[in-house]
Amino acid sequence: MSAGPSEQLRTPSLRLRVTWMSLALLAAMLLVLAVVLDLVLASRLEGQLRDRLLDRAGVATILVDRVETRELAQQLEGEGIAVRVTTTDGTTYAAGRLPRDPQQTSTTTTDAPAPPGPADGPAGPAGGPGPKDADIVDAGAFLTVSETLSDGTQVQLYADRGQIDDTLGQVRFAMVVSALVVLLATALALWPVVGAALAPLRRITGVARAITAGDRGRRLRPDRPGTELGRTAAAFDDMLDGLEGAEGRALASEARLRDFVSDAAHELRTPVTGMRSTSEHLLRADPPREERERLLISLVREADRAGRLVEDLLLMARIDRGLELSRAPVHTAELVAECVTPREVARPELTILVRGEDAVVDGDRHQLAQVLANLVDNADQATGGRGRVVLTTTLELGSVVIEVEDDGPGVPEADRERIFERLTRLDDARERRSGGVGLGLAIARGIARAHGGDLTCHQARRGSGARFRLVLPAGG
C-alpha cells in the first residue's frame, strides 16, 4: 500500500536551507544592531545639541557686560546654533539660520522689534540662574531656548536638527551598505563551509548505496555517537545490524525449512514405500494365510508410523502459528499419575519414581500430558526399557518445575540444545526402531513455551544420565 501525501517526507536541499537560515539569522541580528545603534546615536547627537544650546546660553550670561550686543550675537552663533538678541529698546540682532528666515546666514540688524520667535516665553529674573534642559522647547526642526540677561537683553538660541538628520542619514547609508557586503561575503563563505559540514551525510549516502549493492558488512562507526550526526550514524548502524540479523535469520529459517521438508519427505517415503511394496506383494503373490497376516500387520504398522508423523508435523505447524490452549487449573500430581500409570503397566521392567509435592499450573491438561509423555518415553528409550526414571516436582519463585531424570547414557553437552531441533536424532538406528522421527522434544519445548515456560536438558544429578527440566508458571 503506497504512502499518502501526508506521509511523504519533504527533502529540500539541506545545504541551501542551512545557508538561507544562517543568512536570515545574520540579517535579523544586523537589523537589531542597526536599530539599536541608530537609536543610541540619535539620542547622543540630540543630547549634544541640547548641551550646546545650554552652553551658549551660559556664555551669553557671562559675556553680557563684556561685549556689545551685535558682537554677542556673532560669538554665540555657530555649530548649528542661530541667535536672536533683542535689546531693551527693541533693537534685534540675528545671526545664523533662523526658523522664520532659512536663507539668513549673516548678522542682520533691524530697528523695529522682531516678532517673537516660536520659543519666546516668559523671561527669568535678571541675573537669575541660566536655563536648564527642561527649559528647552522642541519646535520640530529646531530646538529653542530663551534667556533674559542681567541688563534686560533677551537672547533666543535656535539649534537646527538638520545636522543630526544628515549625520544619521550618512550613518544609516553606511550601515546598509556594510550589512549588504557582510551578507554577501557570508553567503559566499557559508556555501562551501556548509558543504564541508554536511560531508558526513555524503558518507552515509555512500555507505547506504554500497550496502544496497551487496556490501552488507559496511558500517559508519561514528567516533562521537553523542552528537547529532553521531546519533544518526549510530541509529543507521543499529538498523543495518537489525536488518542483517533479520536477513540472516530469514535465510537460516529458509534453509531449515528446506531441510525440514526434505527430512519429512524422507521420513514419509519410508513407510509409504513399505506400504506400497507390501500391498503390491499381497495383490500379486496371493501368499498363504500366515504370511498374509504378517504382511497385513506390517502394513498397519507402517500406516500407523506415517499417521503419527503426519500428526506430529501438523502439531508443529500449529505451534509455529501459535498454539491455542484450553487453560484450566491442573494439579501436577494428577498429571504425573496420568502419565506414569499406563507406562508402569506396559513396561514392568522400567522403574519409575515420583517425588515432590503437588502443585497447580494454569494450562492445557491434554497438551501438558503430551509433554510429560514425550519426556518419559524419551527416558524409556534412553535406558532401553530397563533403567530408572525419576519425576520430581518442586516450586521455585512462582514457577512449577517438573524434572524427568534417567540413568541412561545421557546427552553430550554440545548436543543438549540441538536435540530440540526438528527431526534431530542422536541415535538414528534406535529412533527408527522405536518409530520416532525426532519431533518429540521439539514438540514438547514448543508446548512448554506456548504456556509461558520452557524445557531444557541438563546433566543428571547422579551418574551419566540426562535430566529434562520443565518450567511452567504456577497457577492460582
Side-chain angles (χ1 to χ4, degrees):
M1 182 176 179
S2 60
S6 61
E7 299 176 354
Q8 188 175 13
L9 176 64
R10 298 182 59 188
T11 55
S13 171
L14 188 58
R15 187 177 188 180
L16 187 61
R17 193 173 184 180
V18 171
T19 301
W20 276 114
M21 291 180 67
S22 300
L23 290 177
L25 179 61
L26 179 60
M29 294 175 64
L30 289 175
L31 179 61
V32 172
L33 179 62
V35 170
V36 172
L37 288 177
D38 186 77
L39 293 176
V40 171
L41 182 60
S43 176
R44 182 64 177 171
L45 292 176
E46 180 88 7
Q48 290 177 352
L49 192 58
R50 289 174 177 269
D51 290 341
R52 285 203 301 272
L53 275 177
L54 297 178
D55 290 342
R56 296 299 171 87
V59 170
T61 304
I62 297 174
L63 296 179
V64 61
D65 297 328
R66 300 181 183 182
V67 297
E68 296 181 357
T69 305
R70 182 188 300 272
E71 186 178 355
L72 176 63
Q74 293 176 349
Q75 291 192 11
L76 294 179
E77 186 268 339
E79 297 182 355
I81 305 296
V83 184
R84 178 187 284 121
V85 180
T86 305
T87 61
T88 55
D89 60 1
T91 304
T92 299
Y93 299 94
R97 181 173 176 268
L98 295 174
R100 293 180 180 272
D101 189 6
Q103 302 299 325
Q104 184 180 6
T105 57
S106 61
T107 303
T108 60
T109 304
T110 178
D111 294 332
D120 288 344
K132 300 178 181 179
D133 188 64
D135 297 329
I136 298 177
V137 178
D138 189 345
F142 289 85
L143 295 175
T144 66
V145 65
S146 299
E147 176 73 7
T148 302
L149 305 181
S150 59
D151 61 354
T153 301
Q154 188 177 25
V155 178
Q156 291 177 318
L157 300 174
Y158 302 86
D160 190 357
R161 277 204 177 100
Q163 292 184 351
I164 296 179
D165 296 336
D166 293 341
T167 302
L168 290 177
Q170 294 174 0
V171 173
R172 289 166 184 166
F173 178 77
M175 286 192 297
V176 170
V177 173
S178 301
L180 292 177
V181 172
V182 169
L183 288 175
L184 179 60
T186 303
L188 295 176
L190 270 178
W191 190 255
V193 169
V194 174
L198 297 178
L201 291 180
R202 291 195 294 271
R203 185 186 170 194
I204 293 176
T205 304
V207 170
R209 289 177 176 170
I211 292 173
T212 303
D215 188 3
R216 299 290 193 267
R218 289 286 296 275
R219 294 294 183 272
L220 294 172
R221 297 182 179 86
D223 58 344
R224 286 178 291 179
T227 62
E228 293 82 1
L229 284 174
R231 287 193 293 270
T232 301
F236 186 80
D237 285 349
D238 293 340
M239 178 192 69
L240 292 177
D241 291 339
L243 290 177
E244 187 176 20
E247 182 183 25
R249 289 190 296 271
L251 292 175
S253 177
E254 184 179 355
R256 287 195 302 270
L257 179 61
R258 286 197 299 267
D259 294 340
F260 177 72
V261 171
S262 176
D263 291 342
H266 177 74
E267 294 294 339
L268 278 173
R269 185 176 61 181
T270 301
V272 169
T273 301
M275 288 187 293
R276 184 177 61 183
S277 60
T278 301
S279 300
E280 290 177 353
H281 181 69
L282 286 172
L283 291 174
R284 294 177 181 178
D286 192 19
R289 179 179 179 181
E290 182 178 349
E291 184 180 356
R292 183 183 298 109
E293 291 179 353
R294 182 177 58 81
L295 291 175
L296 289 174
I297 293 173
S298 175
L299 183 63
V300 172
R301 185 181 297 114
E302 292 297 334
D304 182 62
R305 179 182 175 187
R308 288 200 308 271
L309 176 58
V310 171
E311 290 177 359
D312 288 346
L313 291 176
L314 290 175
L315 181 56
M316 285 302 306
R318 289 170 53 201
I319 291 174
D320 290 339
R321 289 196 307 266
L323 190 62
E324 295 183 2
L325 303 175
S326 300
R327 291 182 178 271
V330 179
H331 288 268
T332 58
E334 298 176 0
L335 192 65
V336 170
E338 181 181 334
C339 173
V340 169
T341 301
R343 284 160 180 78
E344 287 179 333
V345 175
R347 306 301 293 268
E349 296 181 356
L350 182 66
T351 303
I352 302 178
L353 303 177
V354 178
R355 297 174 179 172
E357 53 188 311
D358 183 28
V360 178
V361 297
D362 184 25
D364 189 314
R365 186 186 189 92
H366 174 72
Q367 300 293 350
L368 293 178
Q370 184 173 355
V371 173
L372 285 180
N374 284 344
L375 295 179
V376 174
D377 289 343
N378 185 73
D380 179 17
Q381 295 169 15
T383 60
R386 295 179 176 81
R388 188 180 73 162
V389 179
V390 180
L391 284 81
T392 307
T393 303
T394 57
L395 284 172
E396 295 182 4
L397 298 176
S399 298
V400 177
V401 180
I402 303 176
E403 293 185 338
V404 180
E405 186 175 356
D406 62 64
D407 57 357
V411 179
E413 185 175 357
D415 296 326
R416 289 175 188 167
E417 189 63 26
R418 191 170 69 88
I419 58 175
F420 292 102
E421 297 178 2
R422 303 172 186 185
L423 299 175
T424 299
R425 293 177 299 209
L426 301 183
D427 188 345
D428 187 74
R430 185 179 67 189
E431 289 287 352
R432 289 189 183 277
R433 288 194 303 270
S434 63
V437 293
L439 288 175
L441 290 177
I443 291 173
R445 170 174 276 189
I447 294 174
R449 290 182 174 177
H451 281 78
D454 202 359
L455 176 63
T456 54
C457 179
H458 306 272
Q459 176 69 30
R461 300 186 187 279
R462 295 189 181 89
S464 59
R467 175 168 55 93
F468 288 87
R469 180 180 173 89
L470 174 63
V471 181
L472 297 171

